[in-house]
Amino acid sequence: MAPLKAVTLTHVRYHKGDQLGHFLAWVSLVPVFISLGGFISHFIFRRELQGMFFALGLIISQFINEFIKTSVQQARPETCLLLETCDSHGWPSSHSQYMFFFAMYFTLLTSKGIGLWDSRNNWIVNFWSWSLAFLTMYSRVYLGYHTIAQVCAGAILGIVLGSLWFWVVYSVLSPYFPAIEESAFGRMLYVKDTSHIPNVLKFEYDNARAERKKVSSKSN
């Protein structure tokens, strides 16, 4: 029989009884939570162009990571034998690249006043995004999946690609957002651009209350 292989997307191992390792194993799954929980739910419930292009940038970044890995073909550390990951390459770390791309793009996005909340609270969410990025990088070394050089390479590449993609979206693509919004595709899927609204949550909250008052007044 052919040997069994685990799905590496969620297959993270740590030493039994190691509480820090257990915690970092969950931290290393943050990219999965962001992708499946964050961006998919964002598309279903919000369908904002900024979020869609954010997700597209992360996907492109991962394709670039895979291309570099297969080109360089640098082995993982010797602990890959226990982790059953020796059949995949380690440089650069895709987890580190993903998280630092996310943190860099997110920080640049909020610095331009584009977000769901009051810009005065941006430092809080930026702190959490960078903290998760560094924790993810540390977790990959601690758990034995990567060397320090591999996670550092992933972090640097993620920052560079996140900055570059933000420039592409903000300077090149965003002028076309109104046209996409008004296109047949945009109207069919209710795609919208809210980047011109400083506080989207407050805007939607105020409009929802105003609409409810209109309905109440008509019923009375």
Side-chain angles (χ1 to χ4, degrees), residues 19 29 39 46 59 64 66 97 109 120 139 154 176 178 189 191 198 202 210:
Q19 297 300 319
L29 293 176
F39 285 111
R46 304 203 61 83
I59 293 172
I64 294 173
E66 191 61 32
Q97 183 174 324
L109 199 67
R120 291 173 297 181
S139 73
Y176 297 98
L189 294 180
V191 171
K202 185 177 185 305

Side-chain angles (χ1 to χ4, degrees), residues 170-171 185 187:
Y170 190 77
S171 301
F185 167 81
R187 289 175 176 270

Side-chain angles (χ1 to χ4, degrees), residues 26-187:
W26 281 103
V27 169
S28 67
L29 293 176
V30 168
V32 180
F33 299 148
I34 292 175
S35 299
L36 300 181
F39 285 111
I40 291 178
S41 61
H42 181 279
F43 176 78
I44 293 173
F45 296 108
R46 304 203 61 83
R47 308 192 187 189
E48 296 180 8
L49 285 168
Q50 283 288 350
M52 293 180 189
F53 279 97
F54 194 169
L56 178 61
L58 284 165
I59 293 172
I60 294 172
S61 173
Q62 292 306 294
F63 274 110
I64 294 173
N65 178 274
E66 191 61 32
F67 174 77
I68 295 174
K69 275 185 175 178
T70 54
S71 300
V72 177
Q73 297 187 359
Q74 185 181 105
R76 292 178 182 268
E78 293 180 358
T79 47
C80 67
L81 291 171
L82 294 173
L83 301 169
E84 298 178 352
T85 56
C86 292
D87 57 342
S88 61
H89 306 299
W91 192 94
S93 166
S94 59
H95 282 72
S96 293
Q97 183 174 324
Y98 184 102
M99 287 305 300
F100 277 86
F101 182 107
F102 179 89
M104 189 71 239
Y105 191 97
F106 192 80
T107 299
L108 292 173
L109 199 67
T110 56
S111 69
K112 293 293 183 180
I114 302 171
L116 294 174
W117 43 78
D118 193 331
S119 59
R120 291 173 297 181
N121 298 322
N122 284 343
W123 71 271
I124 300 175
V125 290
N126 287 330
F127 170 79
W128 280 108
S129 65
W130 285 103
S131 296
L132 286 173
F134 279 103
L135 271 174
T136 302
M137 182 173 68
Y138 177 69
S139 73
R140 303 307 286 176
V141 176
Y142 183 89
L143 297 172
Y145 286 90
H146 291 285
T147 64
I148 294 175
Q150 289 170 353
V151 296
C152 288
I156 293 171
L157 188 57
I159 290 173
V160 171
L161 291 176
S163 303
L164 180 61
W165 182 245
F166 179 81
W167 177 84
V168 170
V169 173
Y170 190 77
S171 301
V172 180
L173 300 177
S174 61
Y176 297 98
F177 281 6
I180 298 173
E181 193 177 36
E182 294 299 326
S183 66
F185 167 81
R187 289 175 176 270

